[in-house]
Amino acid sequence: MPEPAHIPEGTAIPDLTAPPMGKAEVIDFAAVVSRRTEKFGQTIGTLSAGIATRGREAAESLARADFPPEAQAEAARKAEAKARKEVVTNSTDRRWEMLKELKAAEDTTRTTAALFASPQAVLARAGLGTTERTNFEAQLAGSGPAQLMNLATFAVATKNAVLGAALCAVCERMPRRDRPFSPADLADRLVGEETRAVQAAVEAIRNAAQRAIVANREFERGRVNPLDRVKVALKSQKEAN
């Protein structure tokens, strides 16, 4: 008897409303999001530079009046604190509008991320509903392990994802110990590169939104949060690998 699918009883179907994107589309989208994140960073940089200038001008004013360095530093600190409060308030709408765009971009990838969760998930959709796949599955129904293995090798050699999908469908209905090949391995060989490219683009979009959120939080507080920085760095490192 075939082994039952390892899906918990009552598992809900994800409520995903955003349309899925293909490899080229999501990669292009990631590039757009990257540019928007860079623009947000430039906005924060410009605002921060203005705040720093206010502090520097206050210190220079006291320096010209021969106040001691301690007084100059205190004046700069107070001027920057006052300027930050004003600039944060005046720039709130502009910054949050940009952040909402980046968050919306991240939300747009939810469906794509779910559908590209693994090479097997991607391969399972290859040729779905087509006559080609239906015919393949019908022809493979009575095949033995040796023939299935041979055809799996042929599917990899010819990059035939539809044949691979049909082979996986047949193989997964067999008891695990009787399967002539690993469906996961076949899927990885046929659509693994595509899957990982999409996953990397989705991760880049998510990380871009997170970096912008952290930058905005630091700007509003006027100080760096080491823990946030570490989290962003780890995600960026994972993205690069």
Side-chain angles (χ1 to χ4, degrees):
M1 292 289 292
E3 295 181 356
H6 297 287
I7 300 177
E9 183 81 22
T11 298
I13 298 174
D15 184 15
L16 302 170
T17 56
M21 291 181 279
K23 176 183 174 182
E25 186 179 4
V26 73
I27 289 175
D28 288 345
F29 189 48
V32 171
V33 172
S34 177
R35 289 194 293 272
R36 289 181 180 176
T37 305
E38 183 178 352
K39 183 178 179 181
F40 181 80
Q42 291 170 348
T43 297
I44 293 294
T46 299
L47 295 173
S48 297
I51 293 170
T53 296
R54 294 271 290 274
R56 185 170 60 253
E57 289 174 346
E60 290 173 350
S61 177
L62 265 65
R64 287 192 294 271
D66 292 328
F67 278 77
E70 295 81 3
Q72 296 174 32
E74 180 63 14
R77 186 189 66 77
K78 289 182 177 180
E80 284 191 18
K82 181 180 179 180
R84 184 173 301 280
K85 186 176 180 180
E86 294 173 358
V87 173
V88 165
T89 299
N90 294 337
S91 65
T92 293
D93 291 344
R94 178 186 178 190
R95 287 182 291 107
W96 280 100
E97 187 62 33
M98 297 174 78
L99 284 174
K100 282 191 288 186
E101 286 186 1
L102 291 171
K103 186 64 174 66
E106 179 185 3
D107 293 341
T108 299
T109 67
R110 292 183 186 277
T111 302
T112 303
L115 294 177
F116 283 82
S118 69
Q120 280 183 274
V122 176
L123 186 62
R125 300 192 298 273
L128 198 61
T130 64
T131 301
E132 181 184 19
R133 176 155 169 182
T134 300
N135 290 340
F136 275 146
E137 290 195 26
Q139 292 168 11
L140 295 169
S143 300
Q147 185 176 12
L148 291 174
M149 183 64 185
N150 182 271
L151 289 171
T153 302
F154 179 73
V156 172
T158 58
K159 305 298 182 185
N160 192 326
V162 179
L163 174 57
L167 283 161
C168 282
V170 171
C171 188
E172 287 173 349
R173 289 195 288 268
M174 301 170 64
R176 190 176 297 274
R177 64 181 178 277
D178 295 337
R179 294 175 183 176
F181 61 85
S182 164
D185 181 54
L186 179 58
D188 189 70
R189 289 169 179 267
L190 288 172
V191 296
E193 183 179 348
E194 175 190 1
T195 304
R196 285 185 286 275
V198 171
Q199 289 174 340
V202 168
E203 190 68 19
I205 292 168
R206 290 176 173 174
N207 289 348
Q210 187 59 38
R211 285 197 301 273
I213 290 171
V214 169
N216 185 67
R217 186 181 299 141
E218 292 180 350
F219 170 71
E220 290 185 339
R221 294 176 178 175
R223 63 180 185 275
V224 171
N225 185 319
L227 182 58
D228 284 343
R229 288 288 182 97
V230 169
K231 289 179 179 178
V232 169
L234 289 174
K235 287 184 177 180
S236 298
Q237 184 178 13
K238 178 181 177 184
E239 178 187 331
N241 294 335

